[in-house]
Amino acid sequence: MAVSAEGARHGERTAAEAAARGGDAFRRALADRVDGEIRFDPGSRAVYAHDSSNYQQPPIGVVVPRTVEAGGEAVRVCAEHGVPVLSRGGGTSLAGQCVNDAVVIDWSKYCRALISVDAGARRAVVEPGACLDDLNDELAGHGLMVGPKPSTHDTCTIGGMIGNNACGASAQAYGKMVDSVVRLEVLTYDGLRMWVGETSDEEYERILAEGGRRAEIYRALRGLRDDGMELIRTRYPDIPRRVSGYNLDSLLPEKNFDVARALVGSESTLVTVLRAEVRLFPVPEHQSLAVLGYDDITAAGGAVPRALPWEPLALEGMDERLLRLAEQHHLAGPRVIENMPDGAGWLMVLFGGDTKDEADGRARAFIEHMKAGPRRPRCTFVDDPDEEERLWKVREAGLGATAYPPGRPDTREGWEDSAVPPDGLGDYLRDLRALIQEFGYGPVSLYGHFGQGCVHTRIPFDLEDEKGTGKYRRFIERAARLVVSYGGSLSGEHGDGQSRAELLPLMFGDDVVRLFERFKAIFDPGNRMNPGKIVHPYRLDDNLDHLAYAPSEPGTHFSYPDDDHSFTHAASRCVGIGKCRASSGGVMCPSYRATGEEEHSTRGRARILMEMMRGMPGDTEPNPSVPGPGGAAVITDGWRSRDVLDALDLCLACKGCRSDCPVNVDMATYKAEFLAHHYAGRLRPASHYTMGWLPLWARIAAFAPRAANTALHPPVLDGIAKRLAGIDPRRDMPRFAPERFTDWFKRRPVRREGKRVVLWPDTFTDNFHPHIAEDAVRVLEASGHRVEVPPVALCCGLTWISTGQLGVAARVLRRTVRALAPRLRDGVPVVGLEPSCTAVFRADAPELMEGDADEDDVKRLRDQTRTLAELLDEHQDDAGGVSPAASHGVVAGLDTPRVRAIAQPHCHQHAIMGFGADERVLSRAGVDVETLDVGCCGLAGNFGFERGHYEVSTAVAEQGVWPAVEDAGPGTAVLADGFSCRTQIEAGTAARPRHLAEVLAGLLPGERR
């Protein structure tokens, strides 16, 4: 007999409460029997309390198995203690299926292996934690790939794709994940381990003859199929993107009673997937993209049926609102905008071919076909792979671009992936948009996988109070009836989870839902596998993450202008996309790449900060055991939390997330804020007094640099001295230069002609590498500038910011701004040589000093600060020159061979200023530069020097910059403007990296070197 929904939820709570009461025995059993990491600490539970949905449910505990067998043993221990289980991959689920009051098994850290490849048969056997992009990189040598490619391809796992029946744009050509699964090795909650797949009548009879639990399951499945055959054939929508409900249709005779495919999309509610055999596809040799512009998105949707017979690899739709939001969030650059044909709704249609001519020919013929029909579009043909990738990334960035529209309420998931028959798409888009407007939620962006009738959007649901959630429920029920009226599916990609499971009777009818309950009971009669999802579901407005999430707003040092000046909002900014878990590309997130640990990803840290705010001590102490408004509190000691401190400890404060995160989470700022509160009135780590106060010690050392170097490098006591200073003994401390740049500059004759510019003498350049600033003076003067240097020692406050000593940082900045004010008010630009210090002026200072008496001058400093490359680039554009010396009529570099170089951009420059100006200036000066995309160097200012960080610091370097430098060809110059980058490169390679100023100075006439 099926379990009632209320009974199921009661049983779920009872099991969880029992596990809590008998927790010690349960935890000991896991620790004794499971080869893996067993975690029940508040920090881990906070990190795994979220996915990418509207829901929050802290798990009972987390298991990170080192092997598939260990994961299976964890399930067995949970079964012995009656504890619910939830398997988790990338944790990017949008419907709430990856959070629950259960033990979460995270497969993504260790169980990532590609076990075998049969290239001839185009098959592979894979462990569940394998990341899709990483797997495809391994398969590329065979010319093969996994077919489905969700937009989270750089972080989603094969197990998660199976659990969710993943699709993506490539499903147009290769189908859903269910179409790629050949066999699954699964484990039931009660301990049966087996491979499942297609089942012939002979195989079925053999299984029955063997008897036991497997025979019981197969007999029950055959009975369910036979009893429900007519319902399955008549009530399942015949559309390409039916993702809602269980895949009972895979049990039909015409589909060969395929048990594996019946389990795909079951969201960990039936079995635990241990291994998968999947079908592979040839990697397209060549691709070409046609972009069609229409008057609006409904017209674009209406043109889809005319495009489908051309069998493209992908057929995506995008509206003007998404494009404009992507532009505002710097996800779409000017070249992308220029390449879009006129219109307010677009179809992006991708074609493949064995040759470039074949792919291009198909795209061009398609364009002519579409132009000859009704709704004649404006068209662009894109055959440049780089341009194609840029356009495609705008479409893939839909969720991030639309999450926080400027000047509009935050948007949410909830009705973000409905699907209809493609021939009704245009009308459905029109009706859906009208419904959104009726409820006052518009305007919103509408986009998606239009070739298969799947529509994505994010809607500004108010989920913060009962009135808003009531309106949300009414809208969802109306929207569900609308999509069903079109013969569509509640979900066309993201699954049911909690968002849509309650609505399944509207789509399938009660009789089919009873078949779902029966299917669930065959595999999981006790309702222990991810309970409350798909079958016997929670209500769609239970467990809402933001309902009553309204902690008292704390006083903060930074102003958080992009979060309505609210740290509470900043702490909840992450929407769970998980791009910070990508293993390559961009900067974010170096600590995750080194450890593979969710807690060390930007997402994990954001989640733990949100849970800190949820449980922030106030007038009423939160009850950790009571879920309800605001969710269950997991962390209740606020700014003093050791769990939060531990999660933030390995954050390199690289700022990569500020630019690379789709919603611009700024963990470096959040970390500095937390450290300021955590250590308020308390003794700090030794490194905060040594590295954090480096500008002061450097100023003192300038009186006797040789003696300072001797004191810092005692031959016998070096290790002891470093330990006392909080510095790892394996690090070599940088040596002070014999003469500071500022002292050298004072001895120079005063130059009285040229355009004024202030050269900022940051602590690192001034005291350790003064030759860089001297070269910068030569370059600036050669380009017609008159260089000035502040007459007194000043500082940007960087080291105090990075160690969370924000009160000191503000005082230092205030002094600096007042000293620079006369020049700033005269409009004199300030040139920074150290990217991290330049980034302080451009980003940290305005956010730290908002409301200060000197705020206007701080803003002037922000607006007038340039990198050396930016100033030269602007000057060269104005002068029409091609080199730093163009305005003097001397064309540097053109009478010498071009220089080959690789460049490691500093992370703060990547995040705040960008590297485009550097590339342009170098190219004009005769340098062919390859900009590395290998992530952070790993030193990151004080981070890599501090005790306890050496292993992570060097692991980051070993994954990226060190091998990239070592692989550079003979005679290749290595460019690195950041002091940390140069120091780290020198620590791990034989290279002698150079600053841009050094390279350009070496190309000046008479000074080439």
Side-chain angles (χ1 to χ4, degrees), residues 289-337:
L289 180 66
V291 184
L292 281 59
Y294 294 89
D295 291 340
D296 70 0
I297 195 63
T298 64
V304 165
R306 184 169 168 78
L308 287 176
W310 287 76
E311 298 183 347
L313 294 178
L315 204 174
E316 301 289 285
M318 180 173 69
D319 68 359
E320 183 179 33
R321 184 166 178 77
L322 173 56
L323 184 65
R324 298 308 166 200
L325 288 170
E327 184 180 19
Q328 290 174 14
H329 288 288
H330 308 293
L331 300 170
R335 293 180 66 180
V336 168
I337 305 300

Side-chain angles (χ1 to χ4, degrees), residues 19-30:
R21 286 195 303 270
D24 289 344
F26 174 53
R27 297 176 195 185
R28 278 197 305 271
L30 284 173

Side-chain angles (χ1 to χ4, degrees), residues 383-449:
D383 61 351
D384 180 344
D386 292 337
E387 287 302 308
E388 177 189 306
E389 184 178 2
R390 277 189 278 270
L391 278 169
W392 213 256
K393 283 186 175 179
V394 172
R395 165 57 198 87
E396 286 190 339
L399 193 161
T402 59
Y404 297 108
R408 296 281 302 163
D410 300 347
T411 64
R412 309 286 180 201
E413 65 90 357
W415 193 255
E416 81 295 339
D417 77 323
S418 54
V420 296
D423 59 6
L425 179 61
D427 291 337
Y428 174 68
L429 286 167
R430 191 173 295 107
D431 289 345
L432 177 60
R433 189 167 62 184
L435 181 65
I436 291 168
Q437 290 297 124
E438 178 187 335
F439 274 78
Y441 287 135
V444 302
S445 177
L446 298 170
Y447 59 99
H449 311 296

Side-chain angles (χ1 to χ4, degrees), residues 439-557:
F439 274 78
Y441 287 135
V444 302
S445 177
L446 298 170
Y447 59 99
H449 311 296
F450 279 17
Q452 296 192 315
C454 182
V455 179
H456 290 325
T457 186
R458 283 179 69 91
I459 298 174
F461 299 124
D462 176 6
L463 304 182
E464 298 178 1
D465 57 41
E466 297 292 345
K467 181 180 178 181
T469 57
K471 181 180 177 182
Y472 161 65
R473 168 174 283 280
R474 292 192 299 276
F475 173 86
I476 293 296
E477 290 172 349
R478 286 274 303 278
R481 290 186 173 88
L482 174 63
V483 78
V484 169
S485 74
Y486 274 86
S489 177
L490 305 173
S491 172
E493 183 157 30
H494 301 150
D496 299 316
Q498 184 172 345
S499 291
R500 287 169 281 274
E502 181 189 343
L503 305 168
L504 289 175
L506 291 176
M507 175 178 166
F508 289 100
D510 292 339
D511 290 340
V512 173
V513 170
R514 280 191 282 272
L515 290 179
F516 293 163
E517 294 172 357
R518 186 170 159 187
F519 190 53
K520 162 84 165 171
I522 290 170
F523 287 98
D524 180 30
N527 196 27
R528 301 292 84 208
M529 296 294 297
N530 203 12
K533 309 300 163 84
I534 301 184
V535 170
H536 314 306
Y538 291 100
R539 291 167 55 88
L540 60 86
D541 45 10
D542 288 342
N543 306 315
L544 288 171
D545 191 3
H546 282 77
L547 181 59
Y549 170 73
S552 299
E553 191 61 46
T556 58
H557 297 270

Side-chain angles (χ1 to χ4, degrees), residues 92-110:
T92 58
S93 299
L94 281 150
Q97 56 266 61
C98 261
V99 293
N100 213 328
D101 185 18
V103 165
V104 169
I105 301 178
D106 183 350
W107 300 95
S108 64
K109 185 175 182 179
Y110 298 114

Side-chain angles (χ1 to χ4, degrees), residues 853-903:
D854 297 293
E855 181 181 3
D856 289 343
D857 286 327
V858 172
K859 289 179 179 178
R860 292 187 182 97
L861 179 60
R862 175 195 63 197
D863 297 338
Q864 292 168 221
T865 295
R866 300 288 186 273
T867 66
L868 175 62
E870 287 173 336
L871 187 81
L872 294 174
D873 191 40
E874 292 171 4
H875 170 74
Q876 289 169 183
D877 278 344
D878 293 342
V882 293
S883 76
S887 65
H888 282 211
V890 179
V891 182
L894 295 189
D895 57 345
T896 60
R898 291 185 71 84
V899 176
R900 294 195 318 276
I902 59 171

